[in-house]
Amino acid sequence: MDTDTGPTTSSDVVTEGPEGSAGTTSAATAVARGSRGRTARRSILSHAAARAAAVLVLVLVAGVVAVTLVNQSFFGPHRPVEAYLDDLVAGDAGTSRALVRADDGGGGAALLADAVYGAAQGRVSGYAVRDVVVDGGAATVVADLTQDGTTATREFTLTRTGSTALVFDAWRLDGPAPVSDVGVVVPQDLEAITVNGADVELPAGGAGPYPGRRSLALPALPGTYVVSPPAPSTYLSYGDPQSIEVPADPAAAPSGVLIDAAPTAAAEAEAVARVTAWLDACTASTDAAPSGCPNRSFVFGNPEDVRGPRWTLDRAPTFTLEQSYEPGVYRLLSDDAVATFSYERNAEFEDLLPPRWEREQDTQTLSISATVTVTGEAIEVAPD
């Protein structure tokens, strides 16, 4: 008798025996291998991405380091300072004129002209940057300057103004230029001098310590400057060339220049000749006290009882020409001339008796002075 157990489904079928067991194992192995392959590929990709990211970071870090090093080495604030000091060593004062803002056409940069500074002896011959301090957009550069074998320390300030090629800093040198003011005192009407062989126009300047002179303060770079005054005229000379020493050391003061007009030998000779002629006219007078003359005497008795009055210059004067407080004005002085006034006087008081003539004389030392006013080609002499 058959028993109906109903329809048979796939879930009800159980495969047994060797052939069924082998099929199940193969399928499981294939699934496992696929899973391991996908995991391996994901691991490889993950490691590759990590390595790429690490390389990128290293590249970026290297780039930043490289830019920083290049920036510091080739675009740091010391570079404008070095360029400026190279110019000074080469005798180029152009940057200095800009730093001191003296190149205004008014003569304030007279000693900063390239023709003047370039010809100076004892300039800055070398330098060494000793320290660089950057504080945000500002920087300070300390450098040792060499001049005539000695070293002086100077500080320079700079301002960051932007960037070059988008990444490198740009710096502006603000100064200060290593200059010192040279004091120059000249006659009021002196317009130019010669410095190191170059003609230099002088600015107006201010009032000097004495009337008729003006004082100037001219910035100059370290070096030795030879100041030659104008050539002498007929009656005025301005002295010999003078040397100015301008040190690189900011604590040391430079020497100054005083250019003063002095009368030439021709001016003195002309003044002496004129005063001598005036004195000759005075001693040629028969008056006991000629008007406006240094020889002054008196006569005893009635003028009708005097005869033969005359002056005799016993000793000629020697003169000295002295400077006054006013430029171009001098004093011609003498105190050693000797003159004698002589005459005959009637010593007889009785009118009925013949005259009795006796010689009278008065010997005296003369004090002579005259004011001498000198310009380049003219001279005036006024005896006092």
Side-chain angles (χ1 to χ4, degrees):
M1 179 175 158
D2 296 330
T3 301
D4 187 4
T5 59
T8 301
T9 65
S10 59
S11 58
D12 295 329
V13 176
V14 178
T15 305
E16 296 180 356
E19 293 181 359
S21 176
T24 301
T25 302
S26 297
T29 300
V31 171
R33 288 176 177 174
S35 176
R36 287 196 299 270
R38 287 191 298 271
T39 301
R41 285 193 296 272
R42 284 196 299 269
S43 178
I44 292 172
L45 292 175
S46 176
H47 284 92
R51 286 196 297 270
V55 170
L56 179 59
V57 170
L58 290 176
V59 169
L60 290 176
V61 171
V64 171
V65 171
V67 168
T68 301
L69 291 176
V70 171
N71 205 19
Q72 292 176 348
S73 300
F74 298 99
F75 296 91
H78 64 287
R79 286 301 187 183
V81 174
E82 291 176 343
Y84 171 55
L85 295 179
D86 285 340
D87 287 344
L88 293 189
V89 172
D92 183 351
T95 302
S96 296
R97 290 193 296 273
L99 289 177
V100 300
R101 296 174 176 85
D103 199 6
D104 55 4
L111 301 184
L112 297 179
D114 289 337
V116 174
Y117 174 64
Q121 300 296 315
R123 299 195 310 263
V124 172
S125 58
Y127 65 89
V129 174
R130 194 171 70 180
D131 192 20
V132 178
V133 178
V134 178
D135 184 8
T140 300
V141 176
V142 180
D144 290 334
L145 279 57
T146 302
Q147 179 191 28
D148 288 337
T150 61
T151 300
T153 301
R154 290 275 188 165
E155 289 188 359
F156 302 90
T157 59
L158 301 95
T159 301
R160 183 186 287 113
T161 59
S163 59
T164 301
L166 300 179
V167 292
F168 301 120
D169 291 335
W171 292 93
R172 181 189 68 232
L173 177 61
D174 298 324
V179 299
S180 300
D181 283 341
V182 175
V184 180
V185 178
V186 297
Q188 190 66 49
D189 59 351
L190 186 61
E191 298 179 352
I193 56 177
T194 301
V195 182
N196 290 345
D199 292 335
V200 171
E201 293 187 2
L202 298 175
Y210 303 107
R213 298 176 178 87
R214 69 186 194 275
S215 296
L216 312 172
L218 302 179
L221 291 162
T224 301
Y225 300 81
V226 178
V227 179
S228 301
S233 62
T234 301
Y235 295 126
L236 283 180
S237 172
Y238 294 95
D240 298 324
Q242 302 178 46
S243 181
I244 307 171
E245 303 290 338
V246 181
D249 186 354
S255 53
V257 175
L258 171 61
I259 297 179
D260 205 2
T264 62
E268 184 170 359
E270 179 66 20
V272 168
R274 295 190 189 186
V275 172
T276 299
W278 164 75
L279 182 61
D280 289 343
C282 288
T283 55
S285 175
T286 58
D287 293 338
S291 177
C293 291
N295 48 320
R296 305 183 66 82
S297 186
F298 57 91
V299 174
F300 292 100
N302 193 324
E304 295 179 355
D305 291 332
V306 174
R307 71 179 184 181
R310 62 187 297 252
W311 282 97
T312 302
L313 186 63
D314 303 317
R315 184 168 65 204
T318 56
F319 292 98
T320 58
L321 190 62
E322 297 182 355
Q323 173 75 57
S324 71
Y325 286 104
E326 184 177 354
V329 180
Y330 306 90
R331 300 283 294 165
L332 188 67
L333 304 173
S334 174
D335 60 3
D336 62 352
V338 176
T340 298
F341 181 65
S342 62
Y343 59 95
E344 290 183 332
R345 181 177 62 86
N346 181 11
E348 182 56 60
F349 293 102
E350 294 292 336
D351 293 338
L352 299 177
L353 296 177
R356 182 165 47 89
W357 298 103
E358 294 181 356
R359 184 175 177 80
E360 301 283 352
Q361 67 179 32
D362 175 25
T363 299
Q364 56 190 249
T365 300
L366 305 182
S367 178
I368 302 170
S369 64
T371 299
V372 181
T373 303
V374 182
T375 59
E377 300 297 336
I379 183 171
E380 295 180 2
V381 180
D384 299 335

